[in-house]
Amino acid sequence: MNKLGIFMNFWEKNWDADHKKYIKKASDIGFDVLEFQAQPLLEMSKDHMKDLAKLAEECGIELTYSLGLDRNYDVSSMDEKVRLGGVDYLQRIVERIGYMGGTLLSGVSYAGWGTPDNFLGDKRPYWENSIKSMREIIKTAEDNGVTYCVEAVNRFETCLINTAAEALAYVAEIDSPNIGVLLDTYHMNIEENNIGDAIRLVGDKLTSFHTGENNRTAPGRGHLDWDEIFGALADINYKNRIVSEPFVMEGGEVGRDIHVYRNLVENPSEARIDEEAKYLLNFEREMLKKYNMA
Ligand code: MN
């Protein structure tokens, strides 16, 4: 069966949190993977990183990483100082993921998160700068055994890569075994004409997959067609990770950055979110069984 994961900020309203607590929780609930924001790795001591990696191993949890790149480190920037600073920043993050024994980075990690200031529609120069930066960053990824997953996200979060086709074009220009495509059902629901076709188009270049509903609740709670989604994953014989990334609580850094302005789960206590995590894990296991992926 595909490894099934959860993003730590299903529970936490700030990006950084007690990683140990969530490694144990993810394991107790039955997940295989815990994903969290990569930036806090830069603030951790090597000893702390080793402790986390050790605990994850003991708990049978694989740690994977995501980021929404701070615009001060925008690797697509027209400002060469910002661009080069971004390359250095992402190389340091990739090295730290490698140090943790990690193999996967996802998210808006190819440009600053959001639309560039003064952007009036010609994205080609930003694209070229991002490619130039990525050719440097990917060498560090290769040296550290990290796969860089380029995530296609909706138009309100980047102007560069909104669709599966754009992600494929980007990955083709980098041409490294350490770069692949990440598709996310929430973003695909906004940008793709047909979600199943987008998954089939990416095919064996799909290196990770994020699930979430049309409104970023847990899979099965909204109106996405999960038969279409899991049917397409079965069509491409998808064997990689499936990480659920619901955001259901208002407030904090996460509510601000993800634009969650109301609770999407009633009275979201920790126990209530635990229940919702169990529900979504069971939902995805059942879908994998239904499509003979288990
Ligand atoms: Mn995602």
Side-chain angles (χ1 to χ4, degrees):
M1 188 183 273
N2 302 69
K3 278 188 169 185
L4 293 175
I6 186 81
F7 193 68
M8 187 178 78
N9 294 96
F10 189 29
W11 288 273
E12 282 286 337
K13 293 182 180 187
N14 290 317
W15 293 115
D16 198 2
D18 179 357
H19 297 93
K20 285 187 180 172
K21 172 182 171 179
Y22 291 102
I23 289 168
K24 288 182 202 147
K25 188 190 280 287
S27 173
D28 288 345
I29 292 173
F31 288 103
D32 311 299
V33 175
L34 179 70
E35 188 157 308
F36 56 85
Q37 282 269 22
Q39 293 96 321
L41 293 179
L42 293 175
E43 312 298 323
M44 287 180 196
S45 70
K46 293 263 167 115
D47 282 348
H48 185 61
M49 289 166 68
K50 267 190 194 147
D51 278 355
L52 288 185
K54 187 163 166 278
L55 178 66
E57 197 180 332
E58 286 165 5
C59 291
I61 288 288
E62 181 190 12
L63 300 177
T64 59
Y65 306 87
S66 175
L67 60 82
L69 184 58
D70 183 329
R71 287 168 66 177
N72 292 317
Y73 300 104
D74 182 357
V75 291
S76 75
S77 177
M78 295 296 123
D79 181 332
E80 193 64 1
K81 212 171 135 212
V82 171
R83 192 185 73 78
L84 290 173
V87 170
D88 174 67
Y89 178 79
L90 287 175
Q91 284 174 327
R92 284 188 287 123
I93 285 178
V94 166
E95 280 167 6
R96 292 212 154 209
I97 292 171
Y99 183 80
M100 293 282 283
T103 62
L104 192 147
L105 175 65
S106 70
V108 185
S109 51
Y110 45 82
W113 197 13
T115 310
D117 291 334
N118 308 316
F119 179 70
L120 287 175
D122 181 10
K123 69 185 180 188
R124 201 68 218 172
Y126 297 96
W127 178 284
E128 296 296 343
N129 273 356
S130 175
I131 292 283
K132 188 160 65 172
S133 301
M134 191 57 66
R135 288 196 172 124
E136 293 304 313
I137 299 161
I138 212 68
K139 289 178 199 159
T140 308
E142 288 167 357
D143 290 346
N144 286 275
V146 172
T147 297
Y148 217 95
C149 301
V150 172
E151 182 166 358
V153 300
N154 75 73
R155 64 192 69 183
F156 304 108
E157 300 189 31
T158 185
C159 61
L160 281 193
I161 300 176
N162 299 137
T163 65
E166 287 175 324
L168 276 176
Y170 186 97
V171 163
E173 283 196 46
I174 301 299
D175 189 27
S176 160
N178 287 65
I179 195 162
V181 173
L182 193 156
L183 294 176
D184 179 317
T185 57
Y186 163 74
H187 297 294
M188 282 195 281
N189 177 58
I190 296 172
E191 299 297 344
E192 304 288 352
N193 287 333
N194 183 298
I195 291 179
D197 287 348
I199 292 169
R200 283 183 288 270
L201 178 70
V202 174
D204 63 3
K205 291 276 189 286
L206 191 64
T207 42
S208 192
F209 195 73
H210 281 169
T211 57
E213 276 288 356
N214 55 288
N215 57 0
R216 286 204 136 161
T217 49
R221 297 300 195 200
H223 64 67
L224 289 193
D225 183 347
W226 294 96
D227 285 300
E228 178 189 1
I229 292 162
F230 279 86
L233 291 173
D235 287 344
I236 66 166
N237 198 22
Y238 182 68
K239 302 271 192 227
N240 293 324
R241 302 159 194 85
I242 298 174
V243 177
S244 198
E245 199 185 26
F247 296 100
V248 296
M249 293 185 291
E250 64 178 346
E253 295 167 354
V254 178
R256 176 196 65 199
D257 295 344
I258 301 287
H259 310 285
V260 185
Y261 303 126
R262 66 188 189 282
N263 287 326
L264 290 141
V265 165
E266 219 176 310
N267 303 318
S269 63
E270 184 171 357
R272 179 72 187 83
I273 300 294
D274 289 352
E275 286 306 312
E276 198 66 3
K278 285 174 198 159
Y279 152 79
L280 81 83
L281 178 61
N282 186 57
F283 178 84
E284 292 190 338
R285 280 178 176 160
E286 291 300 316
M287 291 306 289
L288 288 173
K289 277 187 210 151
K290 187 172 176 183
Y291 288 90
N292 297 316
M293 296 171 76

